[in-house]
Amino acid sequence: MADHKPIQPPTGTRDLYPVEAARRRFITEAWRRASINHGFEEVDGPTFESTELYTKKSGDGIVSEIFGVFSGKDEQGVKALGEKLARGEDAPAPYALRPEFTPTLARMYAARAASLPKPTKWFTAGPFFRAERPQRGRLREFLQWNCDVIGLALPEKPTPEDIARATAQGDAEVIACCVGLLEQLGLTGADYSIAINDRRLLASALRATGVSEADLSAAIALIDQETKLDLHEWNRRAQPLNLSLIRVAQATDLVQAALQEFGRSRRVSEDAAAILQRGGLDAGSLFYLWKQLDSAGVLDRCHFKPDLARGLAYYTGMVFEVIVDGERAVAGGGRYDNLIELFGGPSTPAVGFGMGDVVLSLVLQDKGLMPSDAELMQIAGQSPDVFVISNGTPEADAALPSVLADLRRGSREQRGRDALHARRTSKTTKNVGKLLQEAEKSGAHFVAIVESAGEVTLKNLRTREQDQSKTPIASLKAEVLKRLGRTGA
Ligand code: HAM
């Protein structure tokens, strides 16, 4: 007998029924709008890549979370890997489900660098996979939106100041795009904050507090683990590295004070600048950034966080995270100036961020900013423009299929924008009252009651107004398009 035990979806994945799919569409549309409005162009890459792409520079954290992919056709390869694993050897799968986009973006940019403008601004949104322990805000398959600014627009012979200014401008641009999205969804400065640091400043603070050059990357990786490990374990690992977060905070006290002073007075006192320079702290770029964030009108959302490290190994400068109290980071990003070169391209500075849909949805729901199910269906274009019903006469019944087909037809000239979302009942009832109820429930904007072979009565279900006169079937579509404000779209 057949085994009818249901097969569950894999841990950390989601089945999206219509309302959940509409919720996802609501978020992806907002991502798309924000990135296009901020001048980013859409790109995408494969959802699985050579594992090597991630072992190059993403760092141990993300590599340990890779879902390996094997080709079922490569029997020899799979067998050889199996044998290696059986001997206890390290044997990564040849391919990996993409855990992030940045390496793909660096590879894509490197391949066409010569013909791409400076800066190039790309965005993408799609599914990513990490074999993390599923928990609030973290799943094994999630959507991630990425916005990246690659390359700097510089004069022919740039001064260090030109470079610093253009760098800060790129950094501020991605942060402003991220803020643009959050605001568009109704989140205000009271709901979230953007924590910012600079890897160079962090490195100089670590050196100043006694971490050796050889231990720097291990110390930075461990700082990122602070909230993930228990305190005892964290301290046990920090001790041999000579790592202390208190000392890092002390070492950057003055940067904190000077940035706050900038926030108040829009200038950095000469005293602070001189002391920072003497202290050997690499804080200059943060002041350029603060200026740019101020010009972009987002400085009041940002704060300096001296122990923000970020887990990925490729960051070289500014790093940031969008923080909402009590939640995992909503978004995170930073500057990675060496990655494109590492993938065979010319030396090209770049900066960007990724935002997942999981924490964002939780935050929107908690703050009452997620639209209702009915609104979501409407926003996702799932509510019909017209629900067509028959008045029950044989002539109307016969005319209904062609009325429906005509409403749904889109012209090539209009690239289908004149096609309407039209539905009919799939029930057998001829009771007009019941059919009107069904139309109402579907969220339709208009109902068209076919009265005869040639005429319909139109009713606007949003305003509840019903036409006093009938509309000829021949002009129904033009009339609905006009009332929807979609004429000549
Ligand atoms: P990340 O910090 O690893 O950075 O991820 C960015 C965001 O993706 C997180 O803040 C979170 O919203 C979401 N995310 C990450 N892992 C999960 C998960 N398991 N479940 C749900 N959401 C998750 C990066 O991926 C960088 N590549 C971002 C970047 C782009 N940096 C420069 N450009």
Side-chain angles (χ1 to χ4, degrees):
M1 222 175 77
D3 178 6
H4 291 306
K5 214 170 105 203
I7 299 172
Q8 297 302 325
T11 314
T13 64
R14 294 170 286 187
D15 289 339
L16 304 182
Y17 290 89
V19 168
E20 287 108 41
R23 199 169 290 139
R24 178 178 66 176
R25 165 109 10 223
F26 171 69
I27 286 178
T28 53
E29 288 294 315
W31 283 346
R32 208 183 147 69
R33 219 172 16 251
S35 25
I36 290 174
N37 290 350
H38 284 80
F40 291 82
E41 288 181 313
E42 188 166 18
V43 293
D44 207 351
T47 44
F48 68 96
E49 289 271 16
S50 298
T51 305
E52 200 194 349
L53 191 77
Y54 307 108
T55 46
K56 267 195 166 180
K57 197 67 192 170
S58 290
D60 294 344
I62 215 163
V63 168
S64 69
E65 290 168 352
I66 278 179
F67 275 106
V69 180
F70 298 90
S71 158
K73 301 234 187 268
D74 180 15
E75 284 175 28
Q76 289 301 322
V78 174
K79 198 163 153 240
L81 284 176
E83 284 165 3
K84 270 193 176 177
L85 285 172
R87 289 197 297 271
E89 291 171 30
D90 193 18
Y95 302 111
L97 287 183
R98 61 180 187 182
E100 57 158 337
F101 190 65
T102 317
T104 301
L105 172 138
R107 176 173 61 67
M108 286 171 61
Y109 185 88
R112 300 233 176 135
S115 60
L116 289 166
K118 283 191 180 69
T120 286
K121 294 172 66 176
W122 281 347
F123 83 93
T124 196
F128 291 84
F129 311 85
R130 294 188 192 177
E132 283 193 47
R133 188 173 56 81
Q135 54 188 295
R136 185 175 163 89
R138 289 292 180 269
L139 293 173
R140 293 185 152 189
E141 182 183 12
F142 54 97
L143 293 183
Q144 197 194 60
W145 171 48
N146 281 255
C147 291
D148 292 85
V149 176
I150 312 138
L152 301 176
L154 290 171
E156 203 151 311
K157 285 201 179 114
T159 62
E161 186 157 349
D162 289 333
I163 298 175
R165 197 175 303 118
T167 304
Q169 203 176 329
D171 294 355
E173 214 169 319
V174 293
I175 293 176
C177 178
C178 191
V179 169
L181 177 277
L182 298 169
E183 307 271 300
Q184 184 197 116
L185 291 173
L187 292 159
T188 68
D191 300 312
Y192 68 92
S193 179
I194 298 182
I196 300 178
N197 198 9
D198 191 303
R199 277 272 178 100
R200 287 163 298 182
L201 172 65
L202 180 59
S204 56
L206 288 170
R207 280 188 206 103
T209 57
V211 175
S212 76
E213 204 61 39
D215 285 338
L216 270 186
S217 37
I220 289 175
L222 188 58
I223 295 177
D224 184 60
Q225 295 281 306
E226 200 211 344
T227 51
K228 296 169 198 151
L229 293 174
D230 82 69
L231 188 62
H232 184 72
E233 177 58 19
W234 194 88
N235 284 332
R236 195 185 65 76
R237 296 191 197 182
Q239 219 166 20
L241 302 173
N242 210 5
L243 169 62
S244 147
L245 291 185
I246 302 245
R247 275 186 275 139
V248 168
Q250 274 171 345
T252 49
D253 242 9
L254 191 64
V255 180
Q256 178 88 270
L259 288 171
Q260 274 168 359
E261 178 185 313
F262 179 85
R264 280 191 303 270
S265 63
R266 301 303 189 252
R267 54 181 211 96
V268 186
S269 72
E270 279 165 25
D271 276 0
I275 301 171
L276 286 174
Q277 226 159 24
R278 246 186 296 134
L281 285 177
D282 214 341
S285 55
L286 278 181
F287 292 101
Y288 279 102
L289 177 59
W290 250 237
K291 247 184 227 167
Q292 294 289 342
L293 291 171
D294 186 32
S295 316
V298 297
L299 186 60
D300 61 340
R301 307 274 187 273
C302 302
H303 68 275
F304 169 58
K305 187 168 188 291
D307 60 356
L308 178 71
R310 306 258 310 123
L312 294 152
Y314 48 66
Y315 291 123
T316 52
M318 185 279 294
V319 284
F320 77 98
E321 268 180 6
V322 178
I323 312 282
V324 170
D325 274 352
E327 299 287 359
R328 304 289 306 267
V330 178
R335 175 159 284 285
Y336 48 102
D337 286 350
N338 303 332
L339 201 61
I340 288 160
E341 206 172 348
L342 197 79
F343 287 112
S347 164
T348 311
V351 63
F353 69 87
M355 177 187 289
D357 67 323
V358 185
V359 181
L360 182 65
S361 299
L362 289 171
V363 170
L364 292 177
Q365 265 153 19
D366 282 358
K367 308 229 176 245
L369 293 168
M370 184 63 89
S372 68
D373 291 358
E375 275 176 289
L376 282 170
M377 295 304 271
Q378 199 182 322
I379 294 167
Q382 303 272 319
S383 312
D385 297 314
V386 198
F387 199 101
V388 186
I389 65 181
S390 160
N391 69 356
T393 58
E395 309 83 69
D397 283 355
L400 192 143
S402 67
V403 171
L404 198 66
D406 185 44
L407 290 169
R408 286 173 174 169
R409 196 171 297 121
S411 70
R412 182 158 186 275
E413 300 75 56
Q414 297 251 7
R415 304 232 178 271
R417 283 187 296 254
D418 51 347
L420 288 165
H421 173 178
R423 277 199 220 168
R424 63 173 295 176
T425 187
S426 35
K427 300 195 175 105
T428 49
T429 181
K430 287 189 182 290
N431 182 321
V432 173
K434 281 202 177 132
L435 292 169
L436 280 169
Q437 271 174 18
E438 190 187 343
E440 193 98 44
K441 211 165 150 220
S442 74
H445 198 141
F446 290 98
V447 69
I449 306 165
V450 183
E451 305 286 5
S452 65
E455 286 181 325
V456 297
T457 302
L458 263 177
K459 181 175 180 186
N460 185 331
L461 292 176
R462 306 266 158 88
T463 60
R464 323 215 63 78
E465 281 166 280
Q466 180 162 334
D467 289 4
Q468 295 308 312
S469 57
K470 298 196 172 67
T471 302
I473 285 177
S475 52
L476 172 65
K477 188 169 173 192
E479 187 58 32
V480 175
L481 281 168
K482 193 173 98 195
R483 293 192 197 184
L484 287 170
R486 280 166 53 186
T487 326

